Amino acid sequence: MIIRTAMRRAVIAAAVTGLAASVLASSPAQAAEPAPADDKALIEAARTYFAGENAVTVDGASAASATRKAEHLEVAATFRAVRDDRMEAREQLHGINELAGVRYSAVDTELTPVGRARTQGDTARISVREHTEYTFAGSKDEPYSYTVRHDLSFARADGGWALSKITTLDGPANLSTPEKLDPAELRAARQAAKELRAGVAKGKKLTDPAQKTSPGSGVRATAAYDYTAMVNFATKYAKPVPEDNVPYERDTNDCTNFISHALKAGGWERVLGWYRSDSAWWYTGNPWPLPKHSWTWGGAPNWQRFARDESKRVYELSGPSSLAIADVVQFEIFGYSDPGQPGHTMMVTDFTSDWMPKMSYHSTDTLNRPLSEIITEHSGGEKFWYFRT
């Protein structure tokens, strides 16, 4: 009985197997899964694009060649207008820089993948860390560089992959990526560049931290700050290469936190108090849910109220032509900061050979960016504040 049952089960199983094989044989061929994205191919395409886009603001044949390669790179139809606007924004900046007396002779762009490519059907995504360094033309100026993260999207096209979207992850995107200006904005930016160049050319600039020994009039009497230490901190940690090694915990938008640490390195003493108070200024690095610093330490408008109004450790200057080494600049960012309030904080860490202040800051980690680029990109009515530290 047991033997006959086992035999009957074997016969039924064989019949089912044969039927399944017959059905599969007579059905249409199954579509093969699309091949996953090749990480190296995506990174190379991204490198070609960013290198060419960044080269638009650089003089010379090699820069022009890199830009042509980027312009001929295959991109998705949805990205073509975006690419054209991004390229035109760089062309606008090139012309504005010339008016401001800023020229670049070379640019070097490196992309480091963050994780692996993610493929889903006919789309692929990859995250990268861009580090770009510009060489100033005709001088021995220290380079300007920035580091920023991007998420890149690609669409499958003709057996390959076409760039379809760039999402910048660190801070407001236009801290590192110029945005196309409309005609009125472009006129204002060009005028701002001319005025800035004319202003910075007047008088001798205070470029040696050792000469900046005491606060100016109107500031509470204090011991002289160590401005060399401020600049050394800012320049060291504005360039997180080869790795991010800042000696504190970053904020999501880290600009004011970064500048506060630079000021502390130069002798600014902390002031204990309620973390929301404008008269307190401290950092402890407490773990969540405790506040790791006062709002004045990490918030741009809060820092301004503490530094200028409460402690009087700074006072306002008449404009950018009065800036000295280790001074602080803040500005409003439309659509990001509250109206009439600063949304970004940065420090003067150097000057070009033509006395243009160079700014260092975080969020997009930036070292020695010419102030002319920043002012002209935010010349549509956004307010600037210039502080003597």
Side-chain angles (χ1 to χ4, degrees):
M1 184 69 176
I2 294 175
I3 294 175
R4 287 197 300 270
T5 300
M7 291 176 63
R8 187 161 54 246
R9 287 175 178 169
V11 171
I12 293 173
V16 170
T17 301
L19 179 62
S22 175
V23 170
L24 289 173
S26 61
S27 64
Q30 298 295 311
E33 281 292 319
D38 180 358
D39 291 55
K40 291 183 179 179
L42 297 188
I43 290 294
E44 187 56 36
R47 183 178 290 110
T48 297
Y49 178 78
F50 279 115
E53 181 181 86
N54 293 336
V56 173
T57 57
V58 176
D59 298 327
S62 61
S65 175
T67 298
R68 284 194 297 271
K69 289 180 182 179
E71 290 172 337
H72 289 99
L73 181 73
E74 185 172 14
V75 299
T78 54
F79 188 70
R80 287 171 191 159
V82 175
R83 177 194 59 191
D84 292 345
D85 284 350
R86 289 174 67 105
M87 290 291 188
E88 187 172 349
R90 298 282 183 172
E91 290 174 358
Q92 291 176 339
L93 182 58
H94 188 198
I96 291 167
N97 274 343
E98 287 185 341
L99 293 173
V102 173
R103 302 180 74 99
Y104 301 119
S105 60
V107 61
D108 181 54
T109 295
E110 299 176 359
L111 293 186
T112 304
V114 180
R116 299 296 304 275
R118 290 90 69 194
T119 307
Q120 186 173 9
D122 289 332
T123 61
R125 292 178 59 194
I126 194 164
S127 298
V128 299
R129 183 170 173 264
E130 175 197 355
H131 179 72
T132 292
E133 183 170 285
Y134 286 92
T135 301
F136 289 91
S139 72
K140 297 181 180 180
D141 288 341
E142 288 296 315
Y144 144 49
S145 66
Y146 65 83
T147 304
V148 63
R149 297 172 301 152
H150 307 282
D151 273 348
L152 308 176
S153 299
F154 293 81
R156 198 182 296 274
D158 297 330
W161 294 94
L163 181 62
S164 60
K165 187 178 181 180
I166 299 174
T167 302
T168 300
L169 303 179
D170 297 316
N174 61 357
L175 287 182
S176 62
T177 303
E179 294 180 347
K180 180 182 174 181
L181 304 176
D182 64 31
E185 292 172 331
L186 182 57
R187 285 193 297 271
R190 290 171 65 87
Q191 184 61 30
K194 294 177 186 177
E195 293 175 355
L196 181 57
R197 184 176 188 180
V200 299
K202 297 176 181 177
K204 183 180 179 181
K205 295 297 178 294
L206 186 52
T207 60
D208 182 358
Q211 296 176 5
K212 189 178 173 184
T213 56
S214 62
S217 60
V219 180
R220 184 182 63 190
T222 61
Y225 299 126
D226 186 346
Y227 296 104
T228 298
M230 293 181 186
V231 171
N232 287 346
F233 184 98
T235 54
K236 179 178 180 179
Y237 296 111
K239 187 177 179 181
V241 177
E243 61 183 12
D244 184 10
N245 60 347
V246 294
Y248 64 85
E249 184 179 352
R250 286 178 180 254
D251 288 344
T252 301
N253 292 311
D254 196 54
C255 62
T256 307
N257 186 19
F258 171 65
I259 295 303
S260 286
H261 278 284
L263 293 167
K264 178 179 178 293
W268 275 36
E269 295 183 358
R270 67 175 183 168
V271 180
L272 298 179
W274 189 43
Y275 72 101
R276 294 190 182 187
S277 172
D278 286 342
S279 61
W281 186 78
W282 51 263
Y283 176 93
T284 61
N286 286 328
W288 190 89
L290 297 174
K292 62 185 177 184
H293 56 63
S294 63
W295 283 11
T296 56
W297 187 282
N302 312 79
W303 179 92
Q304 184 181 111
R305 292 193 293 270
F306 166 79
R308 180 190 62 189
D309 304 331
E310 295 291 334
S311 69
K312 302 191 185 302
R313 293 182 180 181
V314 304
Y315 65 95
E316 283 195 63
L317 300 169
S318 59
S321 61
S322 301
L323 286 168
I325 197 77
D327 282 348
V328 169
V329 177
Q330 294 187 303
F331 62 90
E332 177 184 12
I333 302 178
F334 288 159
Y336 177 74
S337 54
D338 292 336
Q341 297 293 318
H344 189 58
T345 309
M346 49 192 180
M347 178 175 284
V348 179
T349 49
D350 199 1
F351 290 84
T352 68
S353 56
D354 290 332
W355 306 116
M356 182 64 66
K358 295 182 184 180
M359 313 305 300
S360 294
Y361 52 86
H362 264 192
S363 290
T364 54
D365 291 3
T366 301
L367 174 67
N368 289 334
R369 187 182 187 190
L371 180 60
S372 55
E373 289 195 2
I374 301 165
I375 288 180
T376 52
E377 288 173 15
H378 297 273
S379 57
E382 290 161 297
K383 182 174 174 56
F384 277 72
W385 294 264
Y386 307 96
F387 294 111
R388 173 61 40 82
T389 57

